[in-house]
Each structure stands twice: as C-alpha cells, then as structure tokens.
Amino acid sequence: MTQDDLNACAELLQRADPDRFAAVLAAKPAARDVLLPIYAFNVEVARAPWVTQETMIAEMRLQWWRDALDEIREGKPVRRHEVVSPLAEVLSVEDAEVLDRLIEARRWDIYKDPFENLAHQMRYLQDTGGALLLAAARSLGPCEENVALDAGYALALANWLQAIPALEAQKRVPLVDGRPQAVSALAKEGLVRFRKARANRGAVSTQAAQAFLSCWQVETVLSQAAAEPERVAQGALGMSEFGKRVGLLWRGMSGRW
C-alpha cells in the first residue's frame, strides 16, 4: 500500500463524500488507512451508474469493479489501480463477497424504474449502506454482523432521505410511497434499527467501532424526518456545520457512536 494510493483515495473521498471523509479523519490513525480504500471503492461504485446515459457502459463500469473484487476473492494478483491496490490489502475474502452485494444493488441506479415495492427499497439500502459498514467494520476488528447491518441501513436511509430532492431532479422515483405519513414511518423504522444497533455496542470491538463514526448524524436526520416528514421534500434535513463539527469531535474523542 503506497502513500500515493492512500492520498488518491483521500482526495476522491473528500470531493465526493465529505461527511464520510470527516468521519475517517475523526478515526484513530491506524483505522484511516483501512477505511480510506473501502470508502473510496464505495464512491467509485456509487458514481459509476451516473457518469453516463448509456446503460451498457454503466453496466460495464460496475462489472469492472465486480471483476476487481473477484481477483481479491480468488487471491489473484489484482489490477494496478489507486483504489483496488490498497483495497486488496485490507479486504478479506468474506468481505469482498459482502461488497459484491453492494455492486449488484447499485445496478438499480443505472435505470429509471421505481422500486418494485417497499421490501425492494429496504433491501437496496441494506445491500448498499449495510454492506459497506459491515465490510469497513470487520476490516478493522471483530464486529457482530447484525449490528453493522442495522446501523449501516439506518445511515443509508438517512443519506437517501437527504438526497430525495436531487434524485427527483434526475427524474428518479426514490420512494415507493412519498406521502408524509409513509416517509415518517420509514424514518421511524430506521431509528428503531439504529437504536437496536446502539443497544448492542458491546458486540462491536473498539477497533471496529471506528467505522461507526460515519453514523454520527443518523439519529438527528431520521428524527427530523420522522417528526417533520415535509422536510424531506424541502431538502431541509441535517445538522448545521457547527453541530456537525461538535458532534463528530465528541464521538471521535469518546468512541461512542
């Protein structure tokens, strides 16, 4: 793993996902080198369906990343790439399989079809946000799978609700049911899962907990959406910049997510 590769991963993450980048900076130095390539991988996969209107090209981009994970899983020499090369050094075979689910879920982003039903929407969030947090946490240390999946789902839902106006501007149908009461119910369900994860903090090692710092805004965002679902369509969810900084600083120092 070269410093140039890590710097490239950091620059990519900072540009595309500044909140997750801030969470990496709040983590202990030893965790940063592990988290950066995993989160940079997520950026590359998440944006692959959006950089072209050609569905075949988008499919090929996602397949490229799937092939890279296959190389990691099979213990083959991996292709030289500023994200793949360091990723291969931190990712286990098991978690390469977990991240393959993330790529498969992202195929939905290529097309403009709505989710089939609520179960499909929830599975998409689980297989993107849940899989990412699970792989990141277990790459750092022991972590109970269901705790990471619950927290990762809640984080994905919080991010998704914040992105609703932008998704709708792209002519997407991001929610199965956009009525305020349905949005509120979805946010409440996410809060239940997040609080369940927090209640089981003991199943997450101190090392793995560094990955959970990315969840520092989840409770605020989902609580806002649950109480005032109209804020979702208004793009008015989230914390102030001051609140973000203070909240993340406290969690980074205390280790409590």
Side-chain angles (χ1 to χ4, degrees), residues 106-124:
R106 286 292 183 186
R107 292 184 64 243
W108 180 86
D109 295 337
I110 296 173
Y111 306 97
K112 294 192 176 181
D113 299 330
F115 290 112
E116 297 169 8
N117 48 41
L118 183 58
H120 180 202
Q121 178 180 305
M122 294 172 73
R123 187 169 64 252
Y124 171 89

Side-chain angles (χ1 to χ4, degrees), residues 197-244:
R198 274 187 167 169
N200 288 286
R201 279 195 190 100
V204 179
S205 65
T206 301
Q207 296 85 356
Q210 297 295 295
F212 286 75
L213 291 173
S214 60
C215 299
W216 96 95
Q217 301 178 72
V218 167
E219 187 150 24
T220 296
V221 171
L222 293 184
S223 295
Q224 289 172 347
E228 304 174 76
E230 64 276 4
R231 294 178 66 156
V232 173
Q234 296 167 0
L237 294 176
M239 304 169 68
S240 68
E241 287 303 316
F242 176 77
K244 284 183 182 182

